């Protein structure tokens, strides 16, 4: 092969690449998505982890007026007294309401995790 044909091929590919880049730049950026949003077709459905049932169980065990476990067991499980837990909960709701308030999924109407569940999960992470 001659060097002139190599050079011509190089410049043709370069022009094609630059034209492609120019077309990419002209596309509206706001419409482009990075990655997939939502469940992918053909994949297994989400697992129902029964968060509502476990919320009621958590409330019955530790936070009801007449809980299943006494104050000593609460201290053993959460490594703090119930009064401190409640004070932290109130401060979180006051100062970080967007992260700790219970949200409702607009698609299916299911409630998200409650503040006690979120705090319990955060405490488990911090205690490890």
């Amino acid at each position: 092969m001659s060097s002139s044909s190599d050079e011509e091929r190089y410049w043709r590919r370069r022009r094609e690449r630059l034209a492609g880049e120019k077309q990419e730049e002209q596309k509206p950026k706001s419409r482009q998505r990075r990655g997939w949003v939502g469940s992918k077709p053909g994949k297994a459905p989400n697992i129902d982890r029964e968060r509502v049932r476990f919320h009621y169980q958590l409330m019955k065990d530790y936070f009801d007026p007449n809980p299943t476990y006494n104050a000593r067991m609460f201290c053993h499980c959460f490594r703090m007294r119930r009064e401190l837990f409640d004070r932290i909960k109130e401060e979180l709701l006051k100062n970080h309401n967007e992260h700790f308030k219970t949200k409702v999924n607009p698609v299916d109407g299911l409630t998200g995790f409650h503040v006690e569940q979120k705090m319990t999960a955060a405490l488990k992470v911090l205690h490890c």
Side-chain angles (χ1 to χ4, degrees), residues 21-74:
E21 289 175 3
K22 190 173 184 180
Q23 287 176 351
E24 286 293 321
E25 288 175 2
Q26 292 175 350
K27 288 182 182 178
K29 300 271 184 197
S30 62
R31 297 242 184 234
Q32 292 178 349
R33 291 192 176 191
R34 299 175 103 191
W36 192 269
V37 178
S39 298
K40 292 184 179 181
K43 296 289 182 181
N46 294 336
I47 298 170
D48 180 21
R49 304 218 186 261
E50 301 181 31
R51 68 173 168 250
V52 175
R53 183 173 72 89
F54 286 113
H55 167 68
Y56 287 119
Q57 186 68 41
L58 180 70
M59 296 304 289
K60 182 174 136 315
D61 289 346
Y62 295 105
F63 299 102
D64 273 355
N66 187 16
T68 304
Y69 300 110
N70 60 20
R72 184 170 161 255
M73 293 300 293
F74 185 93

Side-chain angles (χ1 to χ4, degrees), residues 15-122:
R15 282 193 301 270
E16 290 170 357
R17 188 172 54 241
L18 289 173
E21 289 175 3
K22 190 173 184 180
Q23 287 176 351
E24 286 293 321
E25 288 175 2
Q26 292 175 350
K27 288 182 182 178
K29 300 271 184 197
S30 62
R31 297 242 184 234
Q32 292 178 349
R33 291 192 176 191
R34 299 175 103 191
W36 192 269
V37 178
S39 298
K40 292 184 179 181
K43 296 289 182 181
N46 294 336
I47 298 170
D48 180 21
R49 304 218 186 261
E50 301 181 31
R51 68 173 168 250
V52 175
R53 183 173 72 89
F54 286 113
H55 167 68
Y56 287 119
Q57 186 68 41
L58 180 70
M59 296 304 289
K60 182 174 136 315
D61 289 346
Y62 295 105
F63 299 102
D64 273 355
N66 187 16
T68 304
Y69 300 110
N70 60 20
R72 184 170 161 255
M73 293 300 293
F74 185 93
C75 288
H76 178 76
C77 180
F78 293 99
R79 299 180 186 171
M80 66 179 75
R81 290 179 31 206
R82 168 82 188 272
E83 293 80 17
L84 178 59
F85 188 95
D86 289 337
R87 197 168 73 198
I88 292 170
K89 180 176 80 171
E90 294 303 319
E91 288 296 318
L92 285 173
L93 288 174
K94 185 168 48 170
N95 297 322
H96 302 284
N97 191 25
E98 287 303 313
H99 299 292
F100 284 92
K101 73 178 181 180
T102 303
K103 298 172 184 140
V104 177
N105 187 340
V107 176
D108 54 15
L110 295 175
T111 58
F113 290 101
H114 294 266
V115 66
E116 291 85 5
Q117 290 172 298
K118 292 177 183 183
M119 282 185 61
T120 302

Side-chain angles (χ1 to χ4, degrees), residues 1-17:
M1 278 185 125
S2 69
S3 66
S4 64
S5 64
D6 289 341
E7 193 173 317
E8 289 172 11
R9 189 174 332 147
Y10 167 80
W11 286 109
R12 185 172 19 120
R13 286 182 183 166
R14 181 157 169 79
R15 282 193 301 270
E16 290 170 357
R17 188 172 54 241

